[in-house]
Amino acid sequence: MGFSASKEDIHALIGWFSKAADLLEHPIADSLNPYLVQELKGNPSANLFLNALLEGKRDFALSIVHSDEVQGFGLEEMYDRIFVPSQRELGRLWHLGKISVAQEHFVTAATQVIISSLYESFFKAHSSLGFSGGSGLSKKPVMIAACAQGELHELGIRMIADTFHARGWDTIFLGANVPEGDLLKEIRRTKPDFLSLSATISPHVAWIERAITEVRQIESPPKVLVGGRPFFTSPDLWRKVGADGTAKDCAHALAIAETILVSA
Ligand code: B12
């Protein structure tokens, strides 16, 4: 059987080939890809911080964060204005092949060390004040914070847990890749008021939905907040997975959690 193509087929093929050739020459606009949006424009502190780390100057990056100007920010503001944009720009540079995986690993690890250096001042100051959260809440709320099973991006949820802790909550940060069974055991053991779950990679959203269904079976279950990239690219996804709320950053997360607790 021979190959035969109609005039219309040939016309369509020529159209596809010329589209493919055009795409090779002019890749899809950067602005269509959320991971390629430059987030450091007009943000000199984050710019300086990231560039210091990319040059391997961890002590200099540390001194930026401990400078009077940056120390004037609250913890949430410091996270949302310095570390989050710096990490996102790091991802953009990696995505574009402008830095190596080794450089990304170095910057992420150094950022975690620098964040730890803030604990002394932020957590001490707040724990000496006692709980200073939303109006109507008399007792210190407890929160468990965890990444979905398989999820290795733990910095975002760590920042959420830190923000709550700095405002006087008791937080139990479980970090990356938490197995479902162990999460449920920890909830039964510690009886938190809140559970915060994070996913960066979209396929992990299904795990979160399943985990929430299981959590709801526990007697007096915690309220559940979910977050991470898939939840702010699909604003209604938190409802679909059965959560009580979501937030796109540290400042909003705290405000939403306290509103949910007060109205419970
Ligand atoms: C560092 C990093 C890693 C590190 C993570 C180390 C660590 N200890 O966390 C490592 C090397 C492990 C890694 C691995 C991978 N990574 Co990576 N990684 C990054 C990078 C550069 C930074 C992540 C980060 O720290 N972000 C900063 C945090 C603070 O932001 P955030 O997580 O969004 O959190 C904020 C909000 O989302 C929200 N939030 C987050 N969680 C929660 C939870 C609740 C309850 C609430 C209320 C709010 C909330 O609040 C936070 C503060 O504002 C990003 C780039 C980026 N754009 O984020 C890529 C990125 C996320 N990685 C990416 C990819 C592809 C991968 C890999 C698949 C690569 C590979 N081929 O192996 C693997 C997947 C691993 C896995 N199974 O999870 C892609 C994801 C693309 C996509 N479409 O999903 C990104 C976007 C890179 C890119 N293209 O620009 N990665």
Side-chain angles (χ1 to χ4, degrees):
M1 199 173 20
F3 171 79
S4 76
S6 67
K7 242 183 175 179
E8 287 74 28
D9 290 339
I10 290 171
H11 194 70
L13 273 174
I14 291 172
W16 292 335
F17 278 124
S18 74
K19 263 193 198 150
D22 194 44
L23 269 177
L24 281 175
E25 249 178 74
H26 309 284
I28 295 173
D30 283 3
S31 59
L32 292 180
N33 184 336
Y35 302 114
L36 295 181
V37 176
Q38 233 280 28
E39 294 212 19
L40 291 191
K41 280 189 192 132
N43 188 342
S45 307
N47 221 327
L48 199 62
F49 175 79
L50 177 60
N51 280 309
L53 288 181
L54 285 173
E55 285 174 26
K57 296 177 181 156
R58 196 176 75 180
D59 289 345
F60 181 54
L62 181 75
S63 71
I64 296 167
V65 167
H66 285 271
S67 68
D68 288 346
E69 192 199 331
V70 174
Q71 285 288 311
F73 300 164
L75 188 71
E76 303 100 82
E77 209 184 344
M78 200 184 282
Y79 282 177
D80 290 336
R81 280 174 56 173
I82 309 269
F83 304 124
V84 174
S86 158
Q87 283 297 103
R88 296 215 172 121
E89 175 63 3
L90 183 69
R92 192 181 76 89
L93 296 173
W94 168 78
H95 190 114
L96 294 173
K98 292 190 174 171
I99 59 165
S100 67
V101 169
Q103 282 174 295
E104 174 279 310
H105 282 14
F106 172 78
V107 174
T108 300
T111 298
Q112 286 175 305
V113 170
I114 291 171
I115 286 177
S116 303
S117 79
L118 299 168
Y119 284 11
E120 176 85 3
S121 54
F122 276 103
F123 294 164
K124 241 190 186 164
H126 283 278
S127 55
S128 64
L129 290 175
F131 178 59
S132 55
S135 56
L137 291 178
S138 48
K139 123 182 191 310
K140 234 179 189 223
V142 178
M143 177 180 78
I144 290 187
C147 286
Q149 189 157 5
E151 180 63 67
L152 298 183
H153 299 96
E154 63 178 358
L155 228 61
I157 186 71
R158 176 178 177 174
M159 292 184 193
I160 298 292
D162 289 355
T163 303
F164 282 54
H165 205 94
R167 288 302 175 102
W169 286 53
D170 268 338
T171 56
I172 303 166
F173 173 63
L174 305 183
N177 188 21
V178 179
E180 190 181 319
D182 294 271
L183 175 69
L184 295 172
K185 262 190 223 154
E186 194 59 10
I187 294 173
R188 288 197 180 92
R189 192 178 74 80
T190 58
K191 302 183 177 37
D193 303 280
F194 241 92
L195 170 66
S196 286
L197 293 175
S198 181
T200 297
I201 304 289
S202 302
H204 296 153
V205 171
W207 182 92
I208 289 197
E209 184 170 17
R210 224 177 26 251
I212 293 177
T213 308
E214 293 297 321
V215 167
R216 300 285 190 213
Q217 313 300 316
I218 296 175
E219 203 189 321
S220 310
K223 297 286 176 197
V224 184
L225 211 57
V226 290
R229 179 67 76 166
F231 295 98
F232 63 85
T233 50
S234 301
D236 241 17
L237 192 55
W238 65 274
R239 281 184 214 280
K240 291 186 187 140
V241 299
D244 296 294
T246 188
K248 66 176 178 35
D249 58 29
C250 298
H252 285 104
L254 191 68
I256 286 179
E258 291 188 346
T259 309
I260 293 173
L261 276 191
V262 170
S263 57

